[in-house]
Amino acid sequence: MQISNQMGQINNLKAPTTKQVSAREGGIDLNALSAFMDKDAVSIGQRDTDVPEKQWHFQLAEPTVSDVLKASGVKGGDSSVTIGIIHTNDEHDPKFEKFAGEAAIIKKREKVYGDENSIIVNTGDVTYESFNDKPGPQFWGPVPEIFNAEGMEFVVPGNHEFQHGGKYLEDNLLPKLDAQVLLGNITYKSSGKPLEHTKPFVIQDMNGVKVGIIGLCTPKMATKAHPKVGYDVKVDSIQSAAAEIVPEAKKAGAEVIVIIAHEGINRCVDAASSVPGIDVIVAGHDHQELQAPREVNNPDGRKTIVVEAASHGKYVGDVSLEVDPHSKQVVGVDYKLFPTNKGDKDPQVQDVINKYFGNR
């Protein structure tokens, strides 16, 4: 159930202040309920004060008493745990004008969750533009250094990362990234093997939950202007690839499934509606600024949330998952979009960019 379809533009919204919780809040006697909780764990927590431009909330299961306590600002007991997915996509920024603004938001959001409770991901098409389509060091420029300075943890190459073929990507970008490259649906035509430095999925323990993170790319590689994009690789549809990889990740121990995909919203919705077990898909490729995230009926009865953060570095997206610590079910999702042009620039990333242009 979507509680708030779109809270809309909130440019004039004041940052929330920490609320003092009384012993009896909204009819719930906190003193009585605290008898069932670890007394040392009951405390008033600080609220997230970063104000997004847009935000939505999806309540996917009935809140427990502990969740009500948590919403009131009380920590402890068996309340749901929070997992953050901070994401960017489709910058198409060969002048590197947006990355320092992105990085400032990324680092702020990571502090909200804590490094161990969040992941930072990018879903590709980082530097391509029509005037930057030739092979050479300028094609990706300082992207490895930028991503490493941002703390990027997972990357899915987009179709334009294959502008000069998979082997060029494998040799010239992937080895330089600290991030794990996820690519579960692409193999070389000649050998049938995946690209070096890639994995189809990983499982990461986040806040006590084993999260399976799967990376997929669109099979729509070539364009009219560039018919040879991805000429040396075979690409399966994300739907068919997810149907194989999701069960593999579940068998390997994943309790929550997140797909990060360089693929458009409609095909991501198709995958969400046909492949059981998917909790969230982070999309890209089609540059959509959604009126609202898509809430999709998954075949296993759950709701799958599909999100995308527009393009050209306009937003950093932030997916907050509330997970029941016992059932490992995602019970709620918050999605926020933070504009990159209204805040500070990260000095570490800006220094990387300045040095790159200074050395050219």
Side-chain angles (χ1 to χ4, degrees):
M1 178 176 62
Q2 185 175 346
I3 299 298
S4 176
N5 183 45
Q6 179 174 352
M7 297 180 71
Q9 304 290 330
I10 53 174
N11 295 328
N12 298 321
L13 183 66
K14 295 182 179 179
T17 56
T18 302
K19 180 181 179 182
Q20 197 73 27
V21 180
S22 64
R24 183 176 288 275
E25 181 74 22
I28 298 174
D29 190 335
L30 301 186
N31 289 330
L33 286 173
S34 67
F36 299 97
M37 304 167 66
D38 182 352
K39 293 184 184 297
D40 293 332
V42 179
S43 61
I44 305 302
Q46 292 187 341
R47 293 178 183 268
D48 176 7
T49 57
D50 293 337
V51 180
E53 183 175 295
K54 301 179 183 180
Q55 62 182 22
W56 299 263
H57 175 73
F58 297 85
Q59 190 67 46
L60 305 182
E62 291 299 321
T64 64
V65 170
S66 294
D67 288 325
V68 174
L69 287 173
K70 186 177 181 181
S72 299
V74 176
K75 292 184 176 180
D78 293 327
S79 61
S80 58
V81 297
T82 301
I83 294 168
I85 305 164
I86 304 159
H87 70 98
T88 58
N89 63 279
D90 295 276
E91 286 89 348
H92 292 278
D93 184 13
K95 296 182 179 180
F96 308 102
E97 297 171 334
K98 302 288 182 141
F99 290 99
E102 277 189 350
I105 297 168
I106 286 169
K107 292 181 179 182
K108 285 181 181 179
R109 300 311 300 163
E110 185 181 43
K111 287 180 180 178
V112 169
Y113 295 108
D115 177 61
E116 69 280 5
N117 300 328
S118 61
I119 56 172
I120 304 168
V121 307
N122 178 277
T123 60
D125 279 10
V126 182
T127 61
Y128 168 79
E129 279 290 0
S130 58
F131 60 86
N132 183 45
D133 64 349
K134 304 297 182 187
Q138 84 294 332
F139 186 67
W140 286 302
V143 165
E145 293 81 7
I146 289 171
F147 277 5
N148 296 346
E150 284 181 340
M152 192 66 64
E153 294 170 89
F154 299 101
V155 170
V156 175
N159 59 304
H160 285 296
E161 269 70 63
F162 289 87
Q163 195 76 10
H164 310 295
K167 184 61 176 171
Y168 187 84
L169 170 63
E170 179 183 282
D171 290 344
N172 292 281
L173 178 64
L174 304 190
K176 301 175 183 178
L177 297 173
D178 291 343
Q180 175 61 60
V181 180
L182 298 178
L183 205 54
N185 64 327
I186 295 184
T187 54
Y188 283 115
K189 290 178 179 177
S190 59
S191 66
K193 294 181 179 180
L195 278 67
E196 292 288 336
H197 315 291
T198 70
K199 295 180 179 180
F201 70 91
V202 298
I203 296 176
Q204 186 153 320
D205 195 313
M206 300 173 65
N207 218 345
V209 178
K210 290 181 173 60
V211 181
I213 307 156
I214 299 168
L216 303 171
C217 182
T218 181
K220 288 186 171 291
M221 289 267 175
T223 64
K224 289 183 179 179
H226 300 284
K228 292 187 178 181
V229 173
Y231 68 90
D232 57 349
V233 295
K234 173 181 176 290
V235 189
D236 296 326
S237 74
I238 70 160
Q239 187 171 332
S240 63
E244 289 187 10
I245 299 172
V246 170
E248 289 179 16
K250 290 278 192 179
K251 187 176 180 180
E255 297 163 324
V256 169
I257 295 291
V258 174
I259 293 179
I260 55 176
H262 187 83
E263 182 58 286
I265 283 291
N266 290 338
R267 286 185 173 82
C268 287
V269 168
D270 289 343
S273 63
S274 63
V275 180
I278 303 171
D279 291 290
V280 174
I281 301 180
V282 177
H285 182 58
D286 60 353
H287 302 183
Q288 290 245 14
E289 184 173 341
L290 299 177
Q291 295 302 311
R294 301 289 178 85
E295 185 178 15
V296 183
N297 292 320
N298 190 262
D300 69 0
R302 77 185 69 203
K303 298 287 187 179
T304 303
I305 305 301
V306 183
V307 301
E308 184 175 353
S311 66
H312 293 84
K314 184 174 182 178
Y315 295 112
V316 171
D318 183 317
V319 185
S320 178
L321 305 181
E322 295 296 324
V323 183
D324 184 283
H326 301 297
S327 68
K328 310 302 182 183
Q329 178 186 3
V330 177
V331 297
V333 177
D334 285 301
Y335 188 55
K336 299 177 182 180
L337 289 172
F338 292 92
T340 62
N341 63 350
K342 296 181 180 179
D344 299 328
K345 293 188 175 183
D346 179 71
Q348 184 181 3
V349 168
Q350 189 61 55
D351 185 56
V352 168
I353 296 166
N354 292 343
K355 286 180 178 178
Y356 170 73
F357 284 112
N359 292 334
R360 292 183 67 184

